[in-house]
Amino acid sequence: MEQKKKSPNKLKLLAGYYKPYKRLFFADLFFAVLGSAVTLVIPLLVRYIMNSVGAMPTSEAKGIILQIGIGMLVLILVQLGSRYFITYYGHMMGAYIEHDMRNEIFSHYQKLSFTFYDNQKVGHLLSRITSDLFDISELLHHGPEDILISFIKLLGAFIILLNVNWKLALISIGIVIVMLVYALIFNKKMKYAFKENRARIADINSQIEDSLAGIRVVKSFGNEKREMEKFAKGNERFVDAKRLTYRYMAGYHSGMDAFTTLITVASLVAGAFFLTDGTLSAADLVTFLLYINNFTEPVTKLVNFTEQFQNGYSGYDRFLEMMAIAPDIADAPDAVSLDHVDGDIRFEEVSFRYEENQEEVLSHVNLEVKPGEYVALVGSSGAGKTTLCSLIPRFYDVSDGRILLDGRDIRQIKLKDLRRQIGIVQQDVYLFAGTIMENIRYGKPGASDEEVIRAAKAANAHDFIMEMPADYDTDIGQRGVKLSGGQKQRLSIARAFLKNPPILIFDEATSALDNESEKVVQDSLEKLAKDRTTFVIAHRLSTIRNARRILVLTEEGIAEEGTHKELLAKDGVYARLCEAGL
Ligand code: GTP
Ligand code: MG
């Protein structure tokens, strides 16, 4: 019931994608009809020449043959033009539609929340954007065109041949029907084998990706050989899957070829019989043979279409499914804009769990941070420090309670404005492939080179950047592999300097930095924190020693609070954390 209700809607939506290209679409169909009509007319002209011209006086006949010859030449040109048009513009129309859908899904991806991405594989999201959309666009432009062409050719040829000689027409259409059934059966088998192939190739691809992305780990464990063996196994299964595909493919193509020849031979033999009977003229027999292509070509086209339809439509289904996912973090209808904030942050009875029916990571957290205050968060690994901080920019929404910024619930503030006020230096810094300059400028698109350099200087990054081969224009490789941990962190700090937000969240890297870079990072952080409300998630004593306010986060929420000295004197959780080196 629901399905029935849905499908016209779906088709209507699909039709909507043609709308901007309506003229192109109808032109494409027009030329498809024109091209197939020409194909049908040419054999008729041949028949006319053979039938009537022979009876005329030679001089007259020559003139007419010349005229018809020229006429056929013109028709060939028309056919050429039509074919060119539908191949070029038809595909272009598909590309335009694919382009539009791709824009749509990509901008949809940008809106979806962290929760969505936590549960997705990037590879799958990628294939939605690439291969699924390609299948859809192929269907959208080939579908209507192929059906129309096949229909006209098949039906046209059949009607014409019925008029020429109905007995011969029935014989050939009978063979065509058997051929169609044969093609459908083999196509189904091939489809299954192709699906297997695709799965195998996807497996191999993801294995290659995983193995190459982790090449440093592979080498450090000396596991190259193991990786090679794993790969070889998958690669062999690929060959097995291919074997099956090619077997079916061989059956399909050889069968189709045989049927095509069979139609020719059957028409010729039966035609020759009728010829001796005197019920068929030689001209009609030639006409018949010229039409055989018009029978066999639509059969292959229609069979291809069933496959295209399945791929395209299931791709379209997946596309709609994706577009139907509503971003769970979005502006409330009555959200207000914020231009300037003081940076007063309050947590009121905040509880949070990542997913329903999972344990709470935070429960009933209460916290008040004054504008410009510097707060250090400590706690054992997995206590929820990163989680607590990711609630402030609304990467996730609280499950219970509320968070206030300058006295206003953050869910009542426009997301864009909220996030503009918050600078984040993440635990594992993400850098984009590109140059250092581009990566720092990400903090404030449109910033001048001078601004970027000033930010880098403030982040103590300028000196090491100047030592790079092409200083600010140095390419840092995928994810910044060409930089050290401390260097990446400083670039990330430079980004935050450039953004210049009133609120700052600094999630210290857990991986150890050497003493010297630890000091430089520490120094740049302190400069950055000046006059901002700052949350520092600290993993190092040096980061917190000077903090006037330290919060100790445990499973029970904020267990202790105070300065380094006060907390040590308490001899509680903090003291034990310090003993363990945090
Ligand atoms: P360290 O960075 O190791 O010091 O820990 P942390 O205090 O920052 O812990 P974090 O806030 O990252 O994690 C708290 C708990 O939430 C842990 O038990 C994690 O297993 C869990 N967690 C973290 N991220 C996710 C997530 O994206 N999804 C789900 N379901 N759980 C998560
Ligand atoms: Mg963390």
mmCIF file of all heavy atoms in Angstrom, residues 381-382 384-387 427 507-508 510 537 539, ligand 2:
data_model
loop_
_atom_site.group_PDB
_atom_site.id
_atom_site.type_symbol
_atom_site.label_atom_id
_atom_site.label_comp_id
_atom_site.label_asym_id
_atom_site.label_seq_id
_atom_site.Cartn_x
_atom_site.Cartn_y
_atom_site.Cartn_z
ATOM 1 N N SER A 381 41.538 8.199 30.466
ATOM 2 C CA SER A 381 41.181 8.036 29.056
ATOM 3 C C SER A 381 39.783 7.413 28.950
ATOM 4 O O SER A 381 39.470 6.450 29.638
ATOM 5 C CB SER A 381 42.211 7.131 28.379
ATOM 6 O OG SER A 381 41.885 7.014 27.032
ATOM 7 N N GLY A 382 38.961 8.011 28.115
ATOM 8 C CA GLY A 382 37.605 7.490 27.944
ATOM 9 C C GLY A 382 36.614 8.056 28.941
ATOM 10 O O GLY A 382 35.450 7.671 28.962
ATOM 11 N N GLY A 384 35.393 10.991 28.973
ATOM 12 C CA GLY A 384 34.400 11.815 28.282
ATOM 13 C C GLY A 384 34.800 13.268 28.117
ATOM 14 O O GLY A 384 33.953 14.133 27.901
ATOM 15 N N LYS A 385 36.104 13.523 28.163
ATOM 16 C CA LYS A 385 36.558 14.913 28.051
ATOM 17 C C LYS A 385 36.296 15.466 26.646
ATOM 18 O O LYS A 385 35.731 16.549 26.486
ATOM 19 C CB LYS A 385 38.062 15.001 28.367
ATOM 20 C CG LYS A 385 38.419 14.404 29.708
ATOM 21 C CD LYS A 385 39.906 14.477 29.978
ATOM 22 C CE LYS A 385 40.751 13.597 29.070
ATOM 23 N NZ LYS A 385 40.603 12.159 29.293
ATOM 24 N N THR A 386 36.717 14.690 25.644
ATOM 25 C CA THR A 386 36.491 15.134 24.265
ATOM 26 C C THR A 386 34.990 15.268 24.015
ATOM 27 O O THR A 386 34.526 16.214 23.374
ATOM 28 C CB THR A 386 37.107 14.125 23.275
ATOM 29 O OG1 THR A 386 38.491 13.996 23.559
ATOM 30 C CG2 THR A 386 36.921 14.570 21.848
ATOM 31 N N THR A 387 34.241 14.312 24.558
ATOM 32 C CA THR A 387 32.796 14.330 24.375
ATOM 33 C C THR A 387 32.177 15.603 24.958
ATOM 34 O O THR A 387 31.378 16.274 24.304
ATOM 35 C CB THR A 387 32.180 13.096 25.058
ATOM 36 O OG1 THR A 387 32.843 11.937 24.586
ATOM 37 C CG2 THR A 387 30.701 13.001 24.772
ATOM 38 N N GLN A 427 42.108 16.863 18.923
ATOM 39 C CA GLN A 427 43.064 15.893 19.458
ATOM 40 C C GLN A 427 43.908 15.292 18.327
ATOM 41 O O GLN A 427 45.113 15.267 18.391
ATOM 42 C CB GLN A 427 42.292 14.791 20.173
ATOM 43 C CG GLN A 427 43.120 13.950 21.102
ATOM 44 C CD GLN A 427 42.236 13.145 22.052
ATOM 45 O OE1 GLN A 427 41.028 13.048 21.863
ATOM 46 N NE2 GLN A 427 42.837 12.583 23.066
ATOM 47 N N ASP A 507 42.072 20.444 22.506
ATOM 48 C CA ASP A 507 42.141 19.037 22.905
ATOM 49 C C ASP A 507 43.565 18.582 22.667
ATOM 50 O O ASP A 507 43.977 18.365 21.526
ATOM 51 C CB ASP A 507 41.148 18.214 22.077
ATOM 52 C CG ASP A 507 40.794 16.903 22.756
ATOM 53 O OD1 ASP A 507 41.530 16.507 23.669
ATOM 54 O OD2 ASP A 507 39.774 16.295 22.376
ATOM 55 N N GLU A 508 44.298 18.451 23.731
ATOM 56 C CA GLU A 508 45.707 18.142 23.597
ATOM 57 C C GLU A 508 45.904 16.745 23.018
ATOM 58 O O GLU A 508 45.194 15.819 23.393
ATOM 59 C CB GLU A 508 46.342 18.210 24.987
ATOM 60 C CG GLU A 508 47.830 18.377 24.975
ATOM 61 C CD GLU A 508 48.302 18.764 26.362
ATOM 62 O OE1 GLU A 508 48.087 17.971 27.302
ATOM 63 O OE2 GLU A 508 48.856 19.850 26.498
ATOM 64 N N THR A 510 47.160 13.124 22.623
ATOM 65 C CA THR A 510 47.568 12.158 23.639
ATOM 66 C C THR A 510 48.960 11.629 23.345
ATOM 67 O O THR A 510 49.692 11.263 24.243
ATOM 68 C CB THR A 510 46.599 10.971 23.715
ATOM 69 O OG1 THR A 510 46.026 10.783 22.436
ATOM 70 C CG2 THR A 510 45.542 11.186 24.747
ATOM 71 N N ILE A 537 41.807 20.402 27.279
ATOM 72 C CA ILE A 537 41.787 19.018 27.719
ATOM 73 C C ILE A 537 43.235 18.611 27.820
ATOM 74 O O ILE A 537 43.941 18.551 26.812
ATOM 75 C CB ILE A 537 41.041 18.132 26.714
ATOM 76 C CG1 ILE A 537 39.620 18.641 26.576
ATOM 77 C CG2 ILE A 537 41.075 16.685 27.174
ATOM 78 C CD1 ILE A 537 38.841 17.945 25.506
ATOM 79 N N HIS A 539 46.625 16.494 28.787
ATOM 80 C CA HIS A 539 47.209 15.172 28.973
ATOM 81 C C HIS A 539 48.616 15.299 29.538
ATOM 82 O O HIS A 539 49.318 14.322 29.687
ATOM 83 C CB HIS A 539 47.232 14.402 27.658
ATOM 84 C CG HIS A 539 45.868 14.055 27.168
ATOM 85 N ND1 HIS A 539 45.162 12.978 27.636
ATOM 86 C CD2 HIS A 539 45.060 14.669 26.283
ATOM 87 C CE1 HIS A 539 43.979 12.933 27.040
ATOM 88 N NE2 HIS A 539 43.895 13.947 26.212
HETATM 89 MG MG MG B 2 39.782 12.674 24.037
#
